């Protein structure tokens, strides 16, 4: 099935997922000088309840932390969206080295990694129903840059040893994803898609201007995860990012001057 190698990677996804060549695909290169400041954009209102954190999983494409989404206790409101979107999961994309790994780029600059916090519109009954609707999802993207060790990543990284290979998951409780948000929540926003198959054009993207940090050693820990299942030839989980896609006339708005 799909992956990130030459024979099953982003250049091949269109064969099984023709929307890969659609009009609102993600990620994109964000060019700050071409973004339109919109004074009507509200500040993001993110409220997360650590008790909704359920487990951490290696799904063969990324490492994902999943949340209970049967109540509104972990949710996103305001920002560019209307209504209330519930947090479903967060995951990351990263490179084989510190010079690449993010999906969105900023004036061509690649960050070593990118965090995605995935929320679904509660006007729909479930994540699955929302995932294919044009206003179904809102994903908050946060860049990671190399700096000092980030203590808020340690709890996550410690769990990696138990979910090294594809299909492994373990319980993961009381994690507060707001500890992974930057201090400043200035953002760019545009209409886009899932960045992996099925590539649904259902995402309001909200990309934070300010990165968070991770040390080079912490980034190396991400690279100890495997795409491969237990017992198969070990295949390092690295470069699990889709490159920027054509803007096709879309406008990127900025919440800041
Ligand atoms: N990488 S992403 O945040 O666009 C994303 C989120 C969810 C799913 B999915 O649930 O299939 C795929 C990609
Ligand atoms: Zn993602």
């Amino acid at each position: 099935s799909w992956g990130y190698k030459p024979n099953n990677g982003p250049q091949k996804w269109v064969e099984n997922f023709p929307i890969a060549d659609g009009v609102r695909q993600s990620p994109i290169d964000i060019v700050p000088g071409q973004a339109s400041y919109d004074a009507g954009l509200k500040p993001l209102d993110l409220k997360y309840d650590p008790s909704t954190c359920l487990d951490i999983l290696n799904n063969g494409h990324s490492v994902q932390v999943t949340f209970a989404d049967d109540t509104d206790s972990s949710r996103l409101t305001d920002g560019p969206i209307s209504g209330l979107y519930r947090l479903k999961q967060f995951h990351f994309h990263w490179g084989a080295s510190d010079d690449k790994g993010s999906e969105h780029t900023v004036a061509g600059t690649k960050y070593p990694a990118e965090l995605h916090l995935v929320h679904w519109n509660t006007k729909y009954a479930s994540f699955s129903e929302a995932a294919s609707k044009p206003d179904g999802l809102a994903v908050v993207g946060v860049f990671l840059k190399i700096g000092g060790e980030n203590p808020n990543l340690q709890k996550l990284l410690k769990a990696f040893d138990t979910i090294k290979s594809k299909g492994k998951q373990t319980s993961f409780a009381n994690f507060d994803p707001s500890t992974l948000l930057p201090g400043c929540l200035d953002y760019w926003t545009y209409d886009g898609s899932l960045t992996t198959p099925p590539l649904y054009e259902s995402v309001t993207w909200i990309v934070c201007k300010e990165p968070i940090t991770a040390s080079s050693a912490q980034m190396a820990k991400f690279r100890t995860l495997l795409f491969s299942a237990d017992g198969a030839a070990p295949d390092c989980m690295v470069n699990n990012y889709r490159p920027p896609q054509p803007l096709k006339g879309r406008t990127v708005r900025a919440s800041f001057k």
Side-chain angles (χ1 to χ4, degrees):
S1 85
W2 67 270
Y4 292 94
K5 297 280 192 299
N7 70 324
N8 67 358
Q11 302 315 319
K12 293 284 178 52
W13 293 350
V14 66
E15 293 169 8
N16 291 310
F17 304 92
I19 201 167
D21 285 350
V23 296
R24 58 176 280 191
Q25 289 292 294
S26 293
I28 61 169
D29 179 43
I30 296 167
V31 184
Q34 290 167 18
S36 306
Y37 168 63
D38 180 347
L41 285 171
K42 297 177 181 173
L44 296 177
D45 182 358
L46 293 151
K47 284 191 178 63
Y48 296 138
D49 173 358
S51 75
T52 59
C53 190
L54 292 176
D55 60 47
I56 187 167
L57 159 74
N58 175 335
N59 60 23
H61 308 295
S62 183
V63 55
Q64 177 175 303
V65 177
T66 305
F67 289 77
D69 60 353
D70 52 322
T71 74
D72 287 344
S73 43
S74 290
R75 85 293 172 283
L76 163 66
T77 56
D78 292 346
I81 60 162
S82 48
L84 184 148
Y85 287 57
R86 286 182 188 168
L87 178 68
K88 176 70 188 164
Q89 52 106 328
F90 69 78
H91 62 273
F92 298 81
H93 303 264
W94 61 91
S97 48
D98 289 349
D99 60 323
K100 59 190 175 185
S102 65
E103 299 210 294
H104 291 91
T105 53
V106 180
T109 299
K110 294 178 176 137
Y111 286 89
E114 186 172 334
L115 161 64
H116 289 159
L117 296 137
V118 183
H119 310 77
W120 57 275
N121 191 336
T122 54
K123 78 188 259 191
Y124 303 109
S126 68
F127 170 83
S128 301
E129 189 186 318
S132 60
K133 305 297 190 294
D135 61 349
L137 303 179
V139 183
V140 174
V142 181
F143 295 118
L144 278 68
K145 72 173 184 183
I146 303 301
E149 181 171 287
N150 186 334
N152 301 309
L153 285 172
Q154 283 309 93
K155 184 176 174 183
L156 269 170
L157 299 182
K158 286 222 319 285
F160 285 8
D161 296 334
T162 62
I163 57 159
K164 194 176 172 65
S165 38
K166 176 180 178 180
K168 294 263 185 181
Q169 83 180 62
T170 190
S171 63
F172 195 69
N174 300 309
F175 185 79
D176 181 357
S178 56
T179 64
L180 298 179
L181 297 172
C184 174
L185 291 180
D186 287 347
Y187 63 88
W188 294 288
T189 185
Y190 75 97
D191 294 340
S193 74
L194 300 178
T195 65
T196 68
L199 300 169
Y200 292 143
E201 296 188 330
S202 60
V203 182
T204 298
W205 275 98
I206 300 164
V207 181
C208 294
K209 174 196 68 182
E210 184 181 313
I212 61 170
T213 63
S215 67
S216 207
Q218 287 181 311
M219 285 315 310
K221 190 72 181 170
F222 278 91
R223 304 184 189 114
T224 65
L225 293 165
L226 300 176
F227 283 128
S228 45
D230 234 358
D235 182 9
C236 285
M237 186 180 276
V238 294
N239 299 325
N240 55 351
Y241 65 92
R242 189 190 194 188
Q245 301 300 306
L247 198 52
K248 298 202 176 171
R250 288 174 283 179
T251 297
V252 178
R253 292 181 289 158
S255 73
F256 62 95
K257 279 192 177 172

